[in-house]
């Protein structure tokens, strides 16, 4: 599980991050939006810098940012462990992968719902993770788009076929207790959830998710 703090109560951000950590989460999903690649603006450098000082969770930083290469160095310095950039946001995908690797960080490449799996295939051997968006990026609390689950199945099949059975497939958007097993059955092994973790009782929510993952 990679709980997305976009859905957190920012008044209690530190407290809520402690709660997810205490309840078994190892990753934290951090959504950075620039108001260009996606309509909304979320939060950025100072927030990451602040929380990095207080937790050892693995920081999964999802950049929904146009020309993300402008910021890799900064996010690496602030404590990202994995940097996910969007294939659609840059003209130089190989350059982005190289840059993140040269900073000593894990690389994730993200695709929007309308981007076919075939577009990411040329890069799968060079990345640690593929992030398959299961909603249009930009906002939390949306409903999962069913056809994106088929993309997870396809990606798992084609990457298995070329012997890449250890590639991480992450899903993000609209994941709930009721549909998590659809995405894990399809082959996703890293699950982002915002609303379904942070709305209501965080400890109970994570417990329910972990039951489903057993
Ligand atoms: C959406 C973000 C997601 C978001 C998921 O653009 O990338 O990470 O926080 O939120 P939920 O789980 O509420 O759909
Ligand atoms: Zn995200």
């Amino acid at each position: 599980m990679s709980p997305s703090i976009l859905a957190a109560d920012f008044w209690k951000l530190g407290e809520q991050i402690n709660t997810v950590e205490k309840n078994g989460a190892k990753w934290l999903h951090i959504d950075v939006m620039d108001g260009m690649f996606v309509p909304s603006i979320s939060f950025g450098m100072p927030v990451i810098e602040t929380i990095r000082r207080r937790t050892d969770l693995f920081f999964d930083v999802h950049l929904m940012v146009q020309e993300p290469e402008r910021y890799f160095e900064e996010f690496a310095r602030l404590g990202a462990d994995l940097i996910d950039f969007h294939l659609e946001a840059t003209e130089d995908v190989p350059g982005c992968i190289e840059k993140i690797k040269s900073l000593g960080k894990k690389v994730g490449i993200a695709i929007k719902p309308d981007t076919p799996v075939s577009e990411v295939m040329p890069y799968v051997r060079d990345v640690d993770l593929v992030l398959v968006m299961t909603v249009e990026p930009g906002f939390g609390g949306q409903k999962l788009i069913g056809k994106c689950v088929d993309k997870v199945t396809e990606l798992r099949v084609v990457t298995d076929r070329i012997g890449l059975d250890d590639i991480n497939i992450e899903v993000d958007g609209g994941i709930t207790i009721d549909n998590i097993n659809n995405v894990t059955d399809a082959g996703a092994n890293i699950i982002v959830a915002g609303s379904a973790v942070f709305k209501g009782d965080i400890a109970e929510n994570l417990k329910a998710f972990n039951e489903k993952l057993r």
Side-chain angles (χ1 to χ4, degrees), residues 2-9 12-13 16-17 19-20 28-29 193-202 205 209:
S2 190
S4 167
I5 57 169
L6 189 62
D9 175 348
K12 303 180 182 164
L13 184 58
Q16 296 198 335
I17 291 172
T19 306
V20 298
L28 199 65
H29 186 83
S195 318
V197 168
F198 286 96
K199 303 299 174 204
D201 186 323
I202 296 171
N205 292 340
F209 271 118

Side-chain angles (χ1 to χ4, degrees), residues 170-182:
E170 179 173 46
V171 284
D172 181 10
I175 309 295
T176 64
I177 304 284
D178 297 322
N179 62 25
I180 186 169
N181 287 133
N182 301 346

Side-chain angles (χ1 to χ4, degrees), residues 29 31 62 64 172 192:
H29 186 83
D31 288 305
H62 178 193
M64 283 162 275
D172 181 10
V192 177

Side-chain angles (χ1 to χ4, degrees), residues 128-142:
D128 299 288
L129 176 148
V130 178
L131 170 48
V132 178
M133 289 301 302
T134 40
V135 299
E136 283 299 336
F139 301 94
Q142 305 179 72

